[in-house]
mmCIF file of all heavy atoms in Angstrom:
data_model
loop_
_atom_site.group_PDB
_atom_site.id
_atom_site.type_symbol
_atom_site.label_atom_id
_atom_site.label_comp_id
_atom_site.label_asym_id
_atom_site.label_seq_id
_atom_site.Cartn_x
_atom_site.Cartn_y
_atom_site.Cartn_z
ATOM 1 N N VAL A 1 -7.915 35.769 46.347
ATOM 2 C CA VAL A 1 -8.014 34.567 47.150
ATOM 3 C C VAL A 1 -7.299 35.009 48.585
ATOM 4 O O VAL A 1 -6.245 35.631 48.632
ATOM 5 C CB VAL A 1 -7.111 33.475 46.693
ATOM 6 C CG1 VAL A 1 -7.061 32.286 47.539
ATOM 7 C CG2 VAL A 1 -7.800 33.040 45.355
ATOM 8 N N SER A 2 -7.975 34.630 49.675
ATOM 9 C CA SER A 2 -7.505 34.945 50.912
ATOM 10 C C SER A 2 -6.220 34.236 51.265
ATOM 11 O O SER A 2 -6.079 33.066 50.955
ATOM 12 C CB SER A 2 -8.598 34.649 51.975
ATOM 13 O OG SER A 2 -8.055 34.828 53.355
ATOM 14 N N ALA A 3 -5.305 34.960 51.957
ATOM 15 C CA ALA A 3 -4.033 34.257 52.288
ATOM 16 C C ALA A 3 -4.120 33.773 53.776
ATOM 17 O O ALA A 3 -3.046 33.303 54.306
ATOM 18 C CB ALA A 3 -2.865 35.285 52.175
ATOM 19 N N GLY A 4 -5.246 33.783 54.317
ATOM 20 C CA GLY A 4 -5.332 33.330 55.711
ATOM 21 C C GLY A 4 -4.863 31.831 55.976
ATOM 22 O O GLY A 4 -4.220 31.601 56.997
ATOM 23 N N SER A 5 -5.299 31.020 55.045
ATOM 24 C CA SER A 5 -4.805 29.635 55.235
ATOM 25 C C SER A 5 -3.460 29.352 54.896
ATOM 26 O O SER A 5 -2.867 28.249 55.249
ATOM 27 C CB SER A 5 -5.793 28.707 54.317
ATOM 28 O OG SER A 5 -5.494 29.129 52.944
ATOM 29 N N HIS A 6 -2.688 30.277 54.371
ATOM 30 C CA HIS A 6 -1.324 30.024 53.917
ATOM 31 C C HIS A 6 -0.362 30.013 55.134
ATOM 32 O O HIS A 6 0.714 29.542 55.034
ATOM 33 C CB HIS A 6 -0.908 31.128 52.986
ATOM 34 C CG HIS A 6 -1.723 31.242 51.758
ATOM 35 N ND1 HIS A 6 -1.776 32.293 50.946
ATOM 36 C CD2 HIS A 6 -2.493 30.299 51.262
ATOM 37 C CE1 HIS A 6 -2.532 32.164 49.905
ATOM 38 N NE2 HIS A 6 -3.063 30.910 50.094
ATOM 39 N N SER A 7 -0.889 30.353 56.390
ATOM 40 C CA SER A 7 0.038 30.333 57.489
ATOM 41 C C SER A 7 0.112 28.858 58.093
ATOM 42 O O SER A 7 0.862 28.710 59.045
ATOM 43 C CB SER A 7 -0.534 31.280 58.566
ATOM 44 O OG SER A 7 -1.839 30.929 58.885
ATOM 45 N N ALA A 8 -0.694 28.008 57.523
ATOM 46 C CA ALA A 8 -0.657 26.653 58.054
ATOM 47 C C ALA A 8 0.701 25.964 57.802
ATOM 48 O O ALA A 8 1.479 26.370 56.844
ATOM 49 C CB ALA A 8 -1.813 25.783 57.389
ATOM 50 N N THR A 9 1.152 25.092 58.684
ATOM 51 C CA THR A 9 2.382 24.312 58.515
ATOM 52 C C THR A 9 2.439 23.574 57.145
ATOM 53 O O THR A 9 1.578 22.769 56.952
ATOM 54 C CB THR A 9 2.644 23.350 59.653
ATOM 55 O OG1 THR A 9 2.530 24.079 60.782
ATOM 56 C CG2 THR A 9 4.007 22.689 59.393
ATOM 57 N N PRO A 10 3.372 23.909 56.255
ATOM 58 C CA PRO A 10 3.454 23.181 54.928
ATOM 59 C C PRO A 10 3.626 21.733 55.087
ATOM 60 O O PRO A 10 4.409 21.322 55.965
ATOM 61 C CB PRO A 10 4.498 23.880 54.269
ATOM 62 C CG PRO A 10 4.785 25.096 54.995
ATOM 63 C CD PRO A 10 4.437 24.881 56.397
ATOM 64 N N ILE A 11 3.001 20.947 54.309
ATOM 65 C CA ILE A 11 3.281 19.503 54.279
ATOM 66 C C ILE A 11 4.506 19.307 53.512
ATOM 67 O O ILE A 11 5.446 18.477 53.907
ATOM 68 C CB ILE A 11 2.105 18.655 53.610
ATOM 69 C CG1 ILE A 11 0.821 18.866 54.404
ATOM 70 C CG2 ILE A 11 2.449 17.190 53.356
ATOM 71 C CD1 ILE A 11 -0.366 18.193 53.731
ATOM 72 N N ILE A 12 4.610 20.008 52.320
ATOM 73 C CA ILE A 12 5.882 19.932 51.517
ATOM 74 C C ILE A 12 6.317 21.386 51.314
ATOM 75 O O ILE A 12 5.566 22.305 50.997
ATOM 76 C CB ILE A 12 5.646 19.297 50.179
ATOM 77 C CG1 ILE A 12 5.330 17.737 50.372
ATOM 78 C CG2 ILE A 12 6.804 19.429 49.216
ATOM 79 C CD1 ILE A 12 5.090 17.038 49.033
ATOM 80 N N GLU A 13 7.675 21.562 51.499
ATOM 81 C CA GLU A 13 8.241 22.917 51.234
ATOM 82 C C GLU A 13 9.609 22.753 50.555
ATOM 83 O O GLU A 13 10.375 21.848 50.921
ATOM 84 C CB GLU A 13 8.437 23.597 52.573
ATOM 85 C CG GLU A 13 8.997 24.980 52.426
ATOM 86 C CD GLU A 13 9.056 25.751 53.687
ATOM 87 O OE1 GLU A 13 8.831 25.121 54.803
ATOM 88 O OE2 GLU A 13 9.448 26.976 53.768
ATOM 89 N N VAL A 14 9.855 23.617 49.594
ATOM 90 C CA VAL A 14 11.151 23.598 48.950
ATOM 91 C C VAL A 14 11.720 25.022 49.125
ATOM 92 O O VAL A 14 11.065 25.962 48.940
ATOM 93 C CB VAL A 14 11.097 23.189 47.473
ATOM 94 C CG1 VAL A 14 10.620 21.722 47.297
ATOM 95 C CG2 VAL A 14 10.146 24.061 46.598
ATOM 96 N N ARG A 15 13.004 25.088 49.334
ATOM 97 C CA ARG A 15 13.666 26.360 49.547
ATOM 98 C C ARG A 15 14.945 26.362 48.675
ATOM 99 O O ARG A 15 15.896 25.513 48.830
ATOM 100 C CB ARG A 15 14.147 26.476 50.945
ATOM 101 C CG ARG A 15 12.978 26.447 51.933
ATOM 102 C CD ARG A 15 13.527 26.454 53.419
ATOM 103 N NE ARG A 15 12.443 26.438 54.460
ATOM 104 C CZ ARG A 15 12.642 26.236 55.763
ATOM 105 N NH1 ARG A 15 13.882 26.126 56.187
ATOM 106 N NH2 ARG A 15 11.732 26.122 56.568
ATOM 107 N N GLY A 16 14.962 27.230 47.756
ATOM 108 C CA GLY A 16 16.121 27.465 46.863
ATOM 109 C C GLY A 16 16.409 26.168 46.013
ATOM 110 O O GLY A 16 17.581 25.899 45.746
ATOM 111 N N MET A 17 15.337 25.482 45.573
ATOM 112 C CA MET A 17 15.566 24.297 44.798
ATOM 113 C C MET A 17 15.967 24.646 43.431
ATOM 114 O O MET A 17 15.361 25.319 42.680
ATOM 115 C CB MET A 17 14.295 23.433 44.792
ATOM 116 C CG MET A 17 14.426 22.133 43.874
ATOM 117 S SD MET A 17 12.900 21.299 43.746
ATOM 118 C CE MET A 17 12.811 20.419 45.238
ATOM 119 N N ARG A 18 17.233 24.165 42.972
ATOM 120 C CA ARG A 18 17.725 24.259 41.649
ATOM 121 C C ARG A 18 17.837 22.912 41.116
ATOM 122 O O ARG A 18 18.738 22.107 41.424
ATOM 123 C CB ARG A 18 19.063 24.975 41.630
ATOM 124 C CG ARG A 18 19.013 26.452 42.150
ATOM 125 C CD ARG A 18 20.445 27.128 42.369
ATOM 126 N NE ARG A 18 21.074 27.100 40.988
ATOM 127 C CZ ARG A 18 20.990 28.120 40.086
ATOM 128 N NH1 ARG A 18 20.290 29.195 40.389
ATOM 129 N NH2 ARG A 18 21.669 28.127 38.980
ATOM 130 N N VAL A 19 16.918 22.556 40.148
ATOM 131 C CA VAL A 19 16.947 21.179 39.594
ATOM 132 C C VAL A 19 17.880 21.107 38.436
ATOM 133 O O VAL A 19 18.046 21.992 37.642
ATOM 134 C CB VAL A 19 15.453 20.877 39.087
ATOM 135 C CG1 VAL A 19 15.392 19.463 38.628
ATOM 136 C CG2 VAL A 19 14.466 21.085 40.152
ATOM 137 N N ALA A 20 18.766 20.061 38.559
ATOM 138 C CA ALA A 20 19.713 19.815 37.519
ATOM 139 C C ALA A 20 18.953 19.159 36.320
ATOM 140 O O ALA A 20 18.227 18.188 36.501
ATOM 141 C CB ALA A 20 20.755 18.906 38.049
ATOM 142 N N ARG A 21 19.187 19.723 35.067
ATOM 143 C CA ARG A 21 18.659 19.245 33.939
ATOM 144 C C ARG A 21 19.748 19.041 32.884
ATOM 145 O O ARG A 21 20.104 20.136 32.219
ATOM 146 C CB ARG A 21 17.476 20.033 33.382
ATOM 147 C CG ARG A 21 16.713 19.369 32.233
ATOM 148 C CD ARG A 21 15.430 20.046 31.994
ATOM 149 N NE ARG A 21 15.517 21.413 31.563
ATOM 150 C CZ ARG A 21 14.527 22.268 31.359
ATOM 151 N NH1 ARG A 21 13.257 21.876 31.565
ATOM 152 N NH2 ARG A 21 14.736 23.495 30.933
ATOM 153 N N GLY A 22 20.260 17.878 32.629
ATOM 154 C CA GLY A 22 21.338 17.678 31.739
ATOM 155 C C GLY A 22 22.603 18.356 32.279
ATOM 156 O O GLY A 22 22.911 18.084 33.479
ATOM 157 N N ASP A 23 23.249 19.246 31.497
ATOM 158 C CA ASP A 23 24.507 19.949 31.935
ATOM 159 C C ASP A 23 24.153 21.332 32.491
ATOM 160 O O ASP A 23 25.057 22.134 32.551
ATOM 161 C CB ASP A 23 25.402 20.042 30.758
ATOM 162 C CG ASP A 23 24.813 20.844 29.542
ATOM 163 O OD1 ASP A 23 23.667 20.970 29.528
ATOM 164 O OD2 ASP A 23 25.571 21.036 28.598
ATOM 165 N N ARG A 24 22.975 21.602 32.849
ATOM 166 C CA ARG A 24 22.593 22.930 33.467
ATOM 167 C C ARG A 24 21.568 22.735 34.563
ATOM 168 O O ARG A 24 21.059 21.725 34.736
ATOM 169 C CB ARG A 24 22.041 23.762 32.357
ATOM 170 C CG ARG A 24 20.751 23.350 31.682
ATOM 171 C CD ARG A 24 20.465 24.180 30.396
ATOM 172 N NE ARG A 24 19.243 23.721 29.767
ATOM 173 C CZ ARG A 24 18.041 24.360 29.842
ATOM 174 N NH1 ARG A 24 18.024 25.528 30.412
ATOM 175 N NH2 ARG A 24 17.037 23.888 29.186
ATOM 176 N N SER A 25 21.394 23.748 35.299
ATOM 177 C CA SER A 25 20.460 23.857 36.427
ATOM 178 C C SER A 25 19.502 24.906 36.190
ATOM 179 O O SER A 25 19.741 26.002 35.682
ATOM 180 C CB SER A 25 21.181 24.030 37.741
ATOM 181 O OG SER A 25 21.922 22.943 38.026
ATOM 182 N N LEU A 26 18.149 24.590 36.612
ATOM 183 C CA LEU A 26 17.133 25.661 36.449
ATOM 184 C C LEU A 26 17.286 26.640 37.541
ATOM 185 O O LEU A 26 17.800 26.421 38.536
ATOM 186 C CB LEU A 26 15.824 24.907 36.567
ATOM 187 C CG LEU A 26 15.596 23.910 35.448
ATOM 188 C CD1 LEU A 26 14.314 23.180 35.710
ATOM 189 C CD2 LEU A 26 15.447 24.571 34.102
ATOM 190 N N PRO A 27 16.678 27.833 37.392
ATOM 191 C CA PRO A 27 16.672 28.790 38.445
ATOM 192 C C PRO A 27 16.052 28.266 39.728
ATOM 193 O O PRO A 27 15.188 27.390 39.669
ATOM 194 C CB PRO A 27 15.855 29.920 37.831
ATOM 195 C CG PRO A 27 15.978 29.882 36.382
ATOM 196 C CD PRO A 27 16.064 28.386 36.148
ATOM 197 N N ALA A 28 16.460 28.830 40.845
ATOM 198 C CA ALA A 28 15.874 28.355 42.170
ATOM 199 C C ALA A 28 14.456 28.548 42.297
ATOM 200 O O ALA A 28 13.875 29.577 41.757
ATOM 201 C CB ALA A 28 16.673 29.021 43.279
ATOM 202 N N VAL A 29 13.804 27.725 43.110
ATOM 203 C CA VAL A 29 12.377 27.772 43.256
ATOM 204 C C VAL A 29 12.157 27.670 44.770
ATOM 205 O O VAL A 29 12.692 26.885 45.491
ATOM 206 C CB VAL A 29 11.679 26.549 42.643
ATOM 207 C CG1 VAL A 29 10.238 26.534 42.961
ATOM 208 C CG2 VAL A 29 11.939 26.634 41.120
ATOM 209 N N ASP A 30 11.247 28.493 45.338
ATOM 210 C CA ASP A 30 10.670 28.427 46.654
ATOM 211 C C ASP A 30 9.209 28.053 46.459
ATOM 212 O O ASP A 30 8.461 28.705 45.703
ATOM 213 C CB ASP A 30 10.821 29.788 47.384
ATOM 214 C CG ASP A 30 12.148 30.003 47.764
ATOM 215 O OD1 ASP A 30 12.965 29.102 47.968
ATOM 216 O OD2 ASP A 30 12.591 31.300 47.949
#
């Protein structure tokens, strides 16, 4: 798949998101 379209401005972006689940947090997500 070409990555040419990936340079467009993201509508939604997450940086280092660590979601809390109960008494722990999931690994970070970009």
